[in-house]
Amino acid sequence: DKLETAREIGYSTKVLVPGMNIQTLDNGEEGFHDLDTVVRQLELDKKLDKQGEGRAMLVTGKALAGTFAEASKKNKFLDAAQKCDVVLACRVSPLQKAECVRLIREAAPKGKEPITAAIGDGANDVPMIQEAQVGIGIAGREGRQSVNNSDFAIGQFQYLQRLLFVHGRWNYLRACKYTLFTFWRNMLQVLIMFSYT
């Protein structure tokens, strides 16, 4: 999609809110900023302690291609993205989507790696879904490729909250009970073996 389309979708889904400081990263093309300018603007916003409604960054595929080409730019982009509440990407190739997920996962320090989730609804989202630890496919108009390559499938985007907060919690509780059961079962088996020897 175009930058303006991505911005309007962000407002309609309430990911972006009026009053939010939105920086656009587009390699200095079309009157938008390059990476160094966006980083300076975010630093200035932080120094002025503007809390407001938060910070957001819109990124184009061309800007990501230039950013992922160099390691120093990659780190600078990651730092800028971590200062934002929302990062929206538009006109991004499927491989760039997967690279974004990989960048987030590999940038974390050892032992504190985040669990990444990718949500997609079409064939162009398959590499991103496969790169993430948790892949969620949405069955819809764009076909079933994302559903076939995902860990979980939902019919509509509105079911995502229930999937994460209800079924995710139930799964967590089941895993905890299974772990406790396994621990106590093994302990009982060892005690029986120990008592007969």
Side-chain angles (χ1 to χ4, degrees):
D1 295 333
K2 294 183 179 178
L3 275 170
E4 289 305 315
T5 308
R7 184 186 302 257
E8 293 305 317
I9 290 172
Y11 281 121
S12 68
T13 57
K14 296 185 177 124
V15 173
L16 299 176
V17 293
M20 187 176 260
N21 177 14
I22 301 173
Q23 298 295 323
T24 305
L25 176 60
D26 193 21
N27 283 350
E29 296 175 9
E30 300 178 20
F32 296 113
H33 305 298
D34 61 347
L35 183 59
D36 295 326
T37 308
V38 168
V39 170
R40 277 196 306 271
Q41 290 289 337
L42 290 171
E43 283 293 327
L44 180 63
D45 189 47
K46 188 176 179 182
K47 285 181 184 175
L48 294 175
D49 198 24
K50 287 184 181 176
Q51 294 299 320
E53 295 292 329
R55 299 177 195 96
M57 181 167 52
L58 291 174
V59 186
T60 62
K62 285 183 183 178
L64 279 180
T67 301
F68 289 151
E70 299 176 31
S72 62
K73 285 187 176 182
K74 220 186 244 193
N75 292 333
K76 194 180 284 190
F77 172 75
L78 184 64
D79 290 339
Q82 289 175 339
K83 291 175 186 166
C84 295
D85 300 313
V86 177
V87 178
L88 293 176
C90 63
R91 293 185 256 156
V92 180
S93 73
L95 292 177
Q96 287 174 328
K97 292 177 184 181
E99 183 70 24
C100 286
V101 173
R102 189 178 309 117
L103 176 68
I104 297 298
R105 200 173 63 232
E106 291 175 352
K110 274 287 194 214
K112 295 185 178 181
E113 294 90 356
I115 296 174
T116 54
I119 306 162
D121 65 345
N124 60 338
D125 298 321
V126 170
M128 173 183 65
I129 289 172
Q130 290 177 337
E131 184 66 37
Q133 282 115 337
V134 179
I136 302 170
I138 301 174
R141 295 181 186 155
E142 293 191 33
R144 299 191 51 87
Q145 290 90 349
S146 64
V147 171
N148 293 338
N149 290 286
S150 64
D151 301 315
F152 301 97
I154 55 178
Q156 296 176 3
F157 194 77
Q158 68 183 5
Y159 302 144
L160 181 63
Q161 186 175 7
R162 183 172 170 91
L163 173 70
L164 294 176
F165 294 118
V166 176
H167 296 286
R169 175 150 173 80
W170 288 349
N171 187 44
Y172 174 74
L173 292 174
R174 284 190 298 264
C176 289
K177 286 179 184 176
Y178 179 75
T179 303
L180 286 173
F181 169 76
T182 305
F183 174 75
W184 289 110
R185 185 199 65 196
N186 289 341
M187 185 180 236
L188 185 65
Q189 287 175 345
V190 169
L191 285 173
I192 291 172
M193 288 170 38
F194 181 73
S195 65
Y196 282 109
T197 56

